[in-house]
């Protein structure tokens, strides 16, 4: 593909959207297995980096984002539980490279997007559809042919042809050439007929690509081929079309990319300002990509030049270490923690403790602990820890928490306590005196309540504004990855230094009584509530779900009958066509992609249309089913029939508690079906 750099003009707007999972998998299999001198596998990241460098050089995008799949379960599994069911798990050599790829993108300052129950294709489809009218070109980078359905006049797919950086351009004519006349608008029809083995989309048994193309050359759509099956040649094929129409329709729905996902960022928010050369070089050197490190140069944007000098906020401070110096931070086995703590407690007046754990995990997984005193710091890994190690750690942490002579500084003590209890690292009883522990999350929140819940980086920055967290550490703390343990240790060092300024700020604003008498005692109450959980009558909730499914099916049938056609009720585009073109209801609002069918629009139309009232009822039941019934059943612990939410006391300006993962404060009460849901809580 020829370089785009010389032809780019100041007025040309180019949005580059990449499927991160697709490109990373292709890089893994396209580059021989590589590893660093420390044994970290890097071949996929190396190939991924090559692709990023070439894309920036060739396209000079004004806007850019990389989309990732988040988790294995998507909304398509609700339609077809076997969706992608035949895919093998990622090789062990690749698993650890996903975090490194994200770290790479962070150093290039490229936005990353992912969303629960949504695939990368849906994120790309939504952004591409939104951006088509505003950009000169929307370039989609993926090895997945599903994206061909998104091709439009200004939306083009670039797919690896051979290797990983040789890309083939697919506009509408190229797609038609690839599929013998079948264009982008009929790719989902093609998938509905032939299926897709890679995604375990069934299609019609016995119908492959050639037969599917032949049918679509004879008929205008898959639906027409199914309706007029008796006109095709071959009795066997007629029978397959007649007997498996429902499977074909399901397959088409599974293959259809969702283009109306609610995303935190719009296409115009993805402005690309370039990268800091020194940061990218440092990452490449840490990964031992010597050739790539030598090739990094200031990036020339389509509308200006990034000179590669780091902004002041990106510069590491004297109190932080760079990522490439991670080896200077000692990592020790968990069994060494008791001895280290004894020495540190004797030498330090304050000690910071940071937990390395997946905050959403409820099974007690802790990867390690980062600790820092005034003169020493270390990371203790849980890898290889024995039962005797854990017993010694429990005893050591109990003594630490009860030692009033040492101030313990935590970020979010409740999260530490709950995770420690679940993992068996703590046997300490609450309450713990407030003068022995400083919770940086609560202290910062009380002083800066209007700014919402502070992150660890925010808390350190608020107390030590002149000595904030280095950009490389900020990325590691936000995104995880290979350098997280070192970043946690460096953050713990800063947290020790931040303790005194945090205490002074509480005193200055006369907030110490509020912290000690209200917020800190509440920590213990909420921790016990989270550990105890809320009991759920699983059988009753499942029965409610069955009833809701029945109601949804009946409503679907009635809606289709009144519309005179079958359509995807959840599709904004298809619903808009039925409401405003077929039924001639007045369109109250339009978006860039067509008619708006938002709740406020439908509620205004409901008094004049029974059909609209049916749609609103359908949406209400679907919301109850997906968000509450299925959502709660996913998080209930089957051994105890309990749900363990997380209560956040530093989230709102007013001080109101928030409940998250799951939110138990929004169980509906207005509808009869919603009130029935509450009966499942015992």
């Amino acid at each position: 593909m020829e370089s785009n750099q010389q032809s780019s003009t100041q007025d040309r707007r180019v949005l580059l959207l990449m499927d991160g999972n697709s490109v990373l998998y292709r890089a893994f299999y396209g580059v021989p297995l590589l590893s660093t001198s420390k044994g970290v596998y890097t071949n996929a990241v190396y190939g991924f980096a090559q692709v990023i460098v070439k894309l920036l050089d060739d396209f000079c995008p004004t806007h850019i984002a990389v989309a990732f799949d988040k988790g294995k379960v998507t909304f398509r599994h609700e339609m077809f539980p076997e969706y992608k069911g035949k895919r093998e798990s990622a090789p062990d050599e690749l698993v650890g490279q996903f975090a490194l790829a994200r770290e790479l993108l962070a150093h290039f300052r490229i936005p990353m997007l992912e969303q629960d129950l949504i695939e990368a294709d849906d994120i790309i489809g939504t952004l591409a559809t939104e951006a088509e009218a505003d950009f000169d070109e929307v370039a989609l980078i993926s090895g997945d042919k599903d994206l061909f359905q998104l091709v439009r006049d200004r939306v083009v797919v670039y797919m690896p042809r051979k290797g990983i950086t040789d890309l083939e351009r697919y506009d509408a004519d190229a797609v038609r050439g690839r599929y013998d006349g079948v264009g982008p608008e009929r790719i989902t029809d093609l998938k509905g007929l032939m299926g897709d083995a890679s995604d375990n989309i069934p299609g019609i048994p016995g119908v492959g690509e050639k037969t599917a193309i032949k049918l679509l050359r004879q008929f205008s759509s898959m639906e027409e081929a199914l309706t007029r099956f008796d006109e095709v040649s071959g009795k066997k094929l007629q029978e397959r079309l007649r007997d498996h129409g429902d499977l074909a329709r399901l397959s088409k729905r599974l293959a259809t990319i969702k283009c109306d996902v609610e995303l935190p960022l719009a296409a115009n928010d993805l402005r690309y300002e370039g990268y800091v050369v020194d940061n990218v070089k440092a990452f490449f050197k840490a990964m031992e990509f010597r050739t790539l490190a030598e090739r990094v140069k200031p990036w020339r944007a389509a509308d200006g030049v990034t000179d590669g000098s780091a902004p002041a906020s990106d510069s590491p401070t004297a109190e932080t270490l760079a990522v490439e110096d991670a080896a200077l931070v000692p990592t020790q086995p968990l069994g060494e923690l008791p001895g280290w703590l004894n020495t540190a407690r004797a030498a330090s007046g304050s000690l910071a403790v940071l937990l390395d754990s997946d905050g959403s995990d409820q099974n007690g997984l802790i990867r390690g602990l980062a600790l820092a005193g005034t003169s020493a710091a270390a990371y203790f890994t849980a890898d290889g820890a024995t039962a005797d190690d854990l017993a010694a750690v429990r005893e050591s942490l109990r003594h630490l928490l009860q030692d009033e002579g040492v101030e313990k500084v935590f970020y979010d003590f409740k999260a530490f306590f709950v995770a420690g209890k679940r993992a068996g690292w703590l046997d300490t009883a609450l309450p713990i005196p407030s003068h022995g522990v400083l919770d940086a999350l609560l202290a910062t929140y009380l002083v800066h309540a209007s700014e919402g819940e502070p992150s660890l980086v925010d808390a350190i920055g608020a107390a030590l504004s002149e000595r904030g967290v280095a950009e490389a550490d900020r990325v590691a703390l936000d995104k995880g990855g290979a350098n997280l343990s070192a970043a946690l240790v460096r953050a713990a060092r800063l947290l020790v230094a931040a303790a005194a300024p945090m205490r002074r700020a509480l005193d200055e604003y006369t907030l110490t009584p509020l912290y000690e008498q209200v917020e800190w005692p509440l920590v213990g109450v909420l921790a016990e509530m989270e550990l105890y959980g809320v009991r759920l009558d699983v059988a009753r909730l499942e029965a409610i779900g069955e009833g809701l499914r029945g109601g949804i099916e009946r409503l679907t049938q009635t809606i289709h009958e009144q519309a005179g056609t079958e359509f995807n009720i959840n599709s904004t585009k298809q619903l808009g066509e039925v409401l405003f073109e077929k039924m001639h209801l007045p369109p109250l609002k339009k978006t860039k992609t067509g008619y708006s069918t938002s709740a406020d629009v439908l509620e205004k139309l409901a008094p004049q249309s029974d059909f609209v009232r049916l749609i609103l009822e359908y949406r209400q039941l679907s919301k109850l089913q997906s968000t509450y019934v299925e959502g709660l059943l996913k998080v209930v612990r089957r051994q105890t029939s309990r749900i363990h939410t997380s209560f956040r006391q530093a989230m709102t300006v007013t001080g109101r508690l928030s409940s998250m993962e799951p939110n138990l404060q929004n169980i509906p009460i207005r509808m009869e079906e919603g009130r029935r849901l509450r009966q499942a809580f015992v």
Side-chain angles (χ1 to χ4, degrees), residues 18 20 24 36 40-42 44-46 48-49 52 66 68 95-114 272 275-289 321-326 470-488 490:
M18 188 169 86
L24 196 62
T36 66
V40 178
Y41 291 107
T42 58
V45 182
Y46 183 81
F48 198 74
I52 294 295
V66 175
F68 284 96
V95 171
Q97 298 191 59
F98 279 91
L100 293 176
R102 286 176 165 82
E103 192 172 336
L104 167 72
L105 292 170
H107 284 295
F108 273 102
R109 301 202 291 195
I110 294 174
M112 292 167 272
L113 294 170
E114 58 183 6
Y272 188 56
Y275 51 82
V276 178
V277 170
D278 290 343
N279 288 357
V280 174
K281 280 189 174 182
F283 176 80
F284 283 169
K285 288 177 181 177
M287 293 291 99
E288 301 176 12
F289 300 159
L321 299 173
V323 167
E324 54 265 35
D325 295 330
E471 179 65 20
D473 284 346
R474 180 190 299 269
V475 170
L477 293 169
D478 288 344
K479 304 293 183 182
N483 299 303
L484 177 58
S485 59
L488 281 169
R490 292 191 286 268

Side-chain angles (χ1 to χ4, degrees), residues 113 148 163 219 225 255 368 412 438 487 541 549 633:
L113 294 170
F148 285 163
F219 302 103
D412 195 352
L438 177 64
L541 188 61
R549 274 193 292 273
L633 288 174

Side-chain angles (χ1 to χ4, degrees), residues 91-279:
D92 292 341
E93 296 86 351
L94 172 60
V95 171
Q97 298 191 59
F98 279 91
L100 293 176
R102 286 176 165 82
E103 192 172 336
L104 167 72
L105 292 170
H107 284 295
F108 273 102
R109 301 202 291 195
I110 294 174
M112 292 167 272
L113 294 170
E114 58 183 6
Q115 194 156 310
D116 288 330
L117 304 179
I118 297 297
E119 296 183 65
D121 286 0
D122 302 308
I123 295 173
I124 291 171
T126 298
L127 291 170
T129 301
E130 172 197 331
E132 184 185 3
D134 295 333
F135 287 78
D136 296 284
E137 181 175 5
V138 181
L140 314 182
I141 315 299
S142 177
D144 190 348
K145 298 182 181 67
D146 284 351
L147 265 63
F148 285 163
Q149 65 188 271
L150 301 175
V151 170
R152 301 290 186 272
D153 288 343
R154 298 183 183 183
V155 181
V156 183
V157 172
Y158 290 84
M159 186 167 292
R161 180 166 32 201
K162 57 182 179 180
I164 54 176
T165 59
D166 183 13
L167 303 177
E168 185 171 5
R169 185 178 189 272
Y170 281 91
D171 57 14
D173 288 338
V175 173
R176 281 188 282 270
R178 167 68 177 79
Y179 292 109
D180 196 17
V182 175
E185 70 283 354
R186 295 203 291 171
I187 291 297
T188 55
D189 292 286
L190 188 71
K191 294 279 187 176
L193 291 167
M194 62 179 278
D196 188 337
S198 65
D199 289 339
N200 200 32
I201 296 176
I204 295 179
V207 173
E209 183 175 307
K210 288 185 178 180
T211 303
I213 290 174
K214 180 181 176 182
L215 288 168
L216 291 178
R217 287 173 63 85
Q218 181 178 354
F219 302 103
S220 63
S221 67
M222 180 194 77
E223 287 78 5
E224 185 180 358
L226 295 175
T227 303
R228 298 166 56 186
F229 66 90
D230 54 347
E231 297 179 26
V232 306
S233 59
K235 187 172 180 59
K236 199 75 174 174
L237 182 55
Q238 289 182 5
E239 292 174 353
R240 287 170 175 160
L241 292 172
R242 180 195 65 201
D243 296 339
H244 300 287
D246 289 342
L247 204 56
R249 294 183 186 93
L250 170 64
S251 298
K252 181 176 178 178
R253 291 198 300 273
L254 291 171
T256 299
I257 292 174
K258 186 176 176 65
C259 293
D260 58 355
V261 178
E262 291 186 12
L263 297 174
L265 296 174
N268 283 316
D269 298 328
L270 302 173
R271 183 81 185 174
Y272 188 56
E273 303 293 349
Y275 51 82
V276 178
V277 170
D278 290 343
N279 288 357

